[in-house]
Amino acid sequence: MPLKVGIAFYIQEGNSRAGPPHWALVAHPFSYSAPDVMVFQIRQAAASPSSAGWSLAHTVCSLSNTPALLGVLHVADISMTSAALNQFVAQFPATKNGDDPSGMPFWSCENWVIRVLHHLSRTTVSNIPVLRLPMQTNLIHGHASRRARTLRTAPKNAPNRFAVLPLDGY
């Protein structure tokens, strides 16, 4: 069954709504508003600013009940089951490990999400890419960051709802 894959943006703890958002990869077969959205992310230990202080923090939850959520950028629908995506994401540690196709000079939750998307775009099933990114990997951060600023001001659809915008929109 195909999955919707997106990037969720959250207000970071201790930051104002204007600070840089936390990034997480989110997926669900039908809707990001479902009660069982898969959330793949890394978190940094407060006492450790080095990349060694990052840890995996994957969960399944409702995004609708997350007050810090700014919204979601929909990346694409992919031809992969939930179990296959879980297995795929499990191969990526929270640390850089010399694998950072984002083109950014530092390691963060943003780089980790971009790395997973990059490798999904390089994965094929029967010679068909699982994911077709709408832009080159090294352009995702800048474009997604601009779209995240739009999410900050986008109206929520209803109580406990959030905006979903396409990654490649303007």
Side-chain angles (χ1 to χ4, degrees):
M1 172 180 297
L3 291 173
K4 294 183 173 308
V5 173
I7 303 169
F9 295 93
Y10 301 87
I11 299 168
Q12 294 202 50
E13 288 182 36
N15 282 350
S16 69
R17 191 167 173 89
H22 171 72
W23 291 34
L25 187 70
V26 292
H28 193 271
F30 307 111
S31 171
Y32 299 119
S33 296
D36 57 346
V37 175
M38 295 181 296
V39 180
F40 304 99
Q41 62 188 331
I42 63 172
R43 294 237 180 239
Q44 189 172 29
S48 177
S50 72
S51 66
W54 291 96
S55 63
L56 298 172
H58 306 330
T59 190
V60 175
C61 65
S62 168
L63 299 180
S64 297
N65 297 327
T66 310
L69 181 70
L70 294 170
V72 174
L73 292 184
H74 177 68
V75 176
D77 291 351
I78 63 170
S79 299
M80 189 176 261
T81 65
S82 297
L85 181 61
N86 269 311
Q87 185 176 10
F88 181 84
V89 172
Q91 69 184 307
F92 300 102
T95 54
K96 189 174 185 174
N97 285 1
D99 180 18
D100 182 10
S102 73
M104 295 170 37
F106 54 87
W107 184 248
S108 69
C109 56
E110 300 147 77
N111 301 59
W112 187 87
V113 168
I114 292 169
R115 174 173 67 180
V116 174
L117 290 172
H118 171 79
H119 287 289
L120 269 175
S121 74
R122 303 255 186 238
T123 302
T124 60
V125 175
S126 301
N127 290 326
I128 298 171
V130 170
L131 168 65
R132 283 187 171 34
L133 288 171
M135 63 201 65
Q136 294 176 330
T137 303
N138 64 334
L139 300 177
I140 292 174
H141 183 268
H143 193 77
S145 294
R146 286 188 296 278
R147 297 293 284 156
R149 285 192 290 275
T150 302
L151 283 171
R152 289 180 188 278
T153 59
K156 296 187 183 236
N157 297 343
N160 296 323
R161 299 289 180 168
F162 48 88
V164 177
L165 301 175
L167 172 61
D168 60 351
Y170 291 97

